[in-house]
Amino acid sequence: MGGAWIPRPFFEMEMGETVMRKIDAVILTYRPGKELGELLKRLASQSLSIHKIRIMNTRYGVFPEEIIAGYSNAEVVHLEKAEFDHGGTRHEAAKMSDADYVLFLTQDALPADRYLVEKLAEAFSDPRVKAAYARQLPREDCGELERYTRSFNYPEESRVKTKADLETLGIKTFFCSDVCAMYELETYRREGGFVRRTIFNEDMIYAGGLIKKGYAVAYAAEAKVYHSHNYSGREQFHRNFDLAVSQADHPEIFQGIASEGEGIRMVKETARHCMRIGKPWLVFSLAVTSGCKYLGYKLGKNYKKLPRWMVTACTADRTYWEKGKGETV
């Protein structure tokens, strides 16, 4: 009992031999505070060791260097706001890594225990799996509707998703979240990695490409992070607009894949949940937020038909459009 917690290395079998593998972590930050310090503390206590932690920080004032003091494996890469891109920034971080796997996290995703990295790494024991994402648990301040949405999108059962699931799961087959997801880098490099310029959804675009090429994506339910938001209807509108823009821009991934049915099922299940727990008044809030999501999604799917002023009014990321949509990085 007692003593320092010493993470162990990650070993895999390769051609009959045991080989030690390296895992890097990449954290995207903007105006980081105490939460980043807690994330680094929890990563340091993982059962599997992290080789290097690379913090991709979008500049906003002075970066609090004291947060990373004491973490010799952590480094910060600063970029200007105009340089940030959901896919491009993560791709640049992946290019800097010489590890076998890279774990992407957002600054507000807190590991629930010491086994997050280990449970994600275990998913790759299936040779088909080239990406694995964690279960997102609600925070203490999470509202009832969002709490149920978390359980709907991140159930207790793990699952490996392949092309064979498209008929039953539809677009959810491609679901993967870079809030907390691990990727096997050899395949990542071979397949070209994340799209370099995207408003949103780089994780699903890449995962969809993997699925279509015969690989698998794993949902590792035992790998858990605390992550949730209490978005307003307006915020949901903007997010779903950008989500739909990313789908409209990548027909090679999303065209012909059933998408709206899963959203309708979630609304129905959430409404039933509200009735079961004796809070029928929440159905009104559900109707409002669901309507905002649906309107945002519909407008985003058809954004090419909209005037520019309307697009910039609907998006959550005006910088993306100001940089000149369609340019490559």
Side-chain angles (χ1 to χ4, degrees), residues 10 19 69 80 109 168-169 187 221 235 241 271 279 283 312 324-325:
F10 174 32
V19 180
E80 302 302 325
T168 54
L169 293 180
T187 302
E235 289 170 321
F241 179 86
K279 296 182 178 181
V283 176
T312 55
K325 184 204 164 294

Side-chain angles (χ1 to χ4, degrees), residues 190-209:
R190 186 171 61 246
E191 297 299 327
F194 294 128
V195 60
R196 307 298 187 272
R197 182 156 172 71
T198 181
I199 193 168
F200 198 43
N201 218 25
E202 80 294 330
D203 36 25
M204 281 187 69
I205 294 168
Y206 178 71

Side-chain angles (χ1 to χ4, degrees), residues 3-138:
W5 176 267
I6 302 176
R8 66 180 187 273
F10 174 32
F11 293 97
E12 280 188 317
M13 293 295 294
E14 184 176 282
M15 299 180 67
E17 296 185 3
T18 303
V19 180
M20 187 170 72
R21 301 298 194 191
K22 290 192 296 187
I23 302 170
D24 280 354
V26 172
I27 306 170
L28 269 63
T29 63
Y30 178 67
R31 301 173 67 179
K34 293 181 180 179
E35 203 166 44
L36 176 60
E38 182 63 25
L39 171 53
L40 292 173
K41 178 182 175 181
R42 296 189 186 199
L43 285 179
S45 70
Q46 289 295 298
S47 60
L48 284 185
S49 59
I50 297 290
H51 173 246
K52 182 176 285 293
I53 300 172
R54 189 164 287 109
I55 299 168
M56 304 296 285
N57 177 61
T58 302
R59 292 184 190 274
Y60 182 92
V62 178
F63 183 86
E65 296 290 342
E66 67 276 7
I67 290 178
I68 65 169
Y71 297 99
S72 59
N73 65 334
E75 67 175 32
V76 183
V77 178
H78 294 288
L79 56 149
E80 302 302 325
K81 188 174 182 180
E83 296 177 280
F84 175 80
D85 182 87
H86 285 279
T89 299
R90 287 179 171 89
H91 182 70
E92 287 303 311
K95 283 168 55 179
M96 296 175 191
S97 175
D98 64 352
D100 302 286
Y101 298 88
V102 63
L103 168 63
F104 286 98
L105 295 143
T106 55
Q107 69 189 44
D108 58 347
L110 296 179
D113 55 35
R114 289 173 164 170
Y115 305 101
L116 170 70
V117 177
E118 179 178 339
K119 295 303 180 182
L120 284 171
E122 283 179 0
F124 294 91
S125 61
D126 183 334
R128 301 172 300 168
V129 171
K130 304 302 177 184
Y133 64 100
R135 184 182 181 192
Q136 295 182 28
L137 302 174

Side-chain angles (χ1 to χ4, degrees), residues 296-313:
Y297 184 81
K298 276 299 189 182
L299 287 172
K301 288 287 278 188
N302 295 281
Y303 82 92
K304 294 177 183 178
K305 300 176 183 178
L306 304 179
R308 184 60 174 256
W309 67 264
M310 191 171 182
V311 170
T312 55

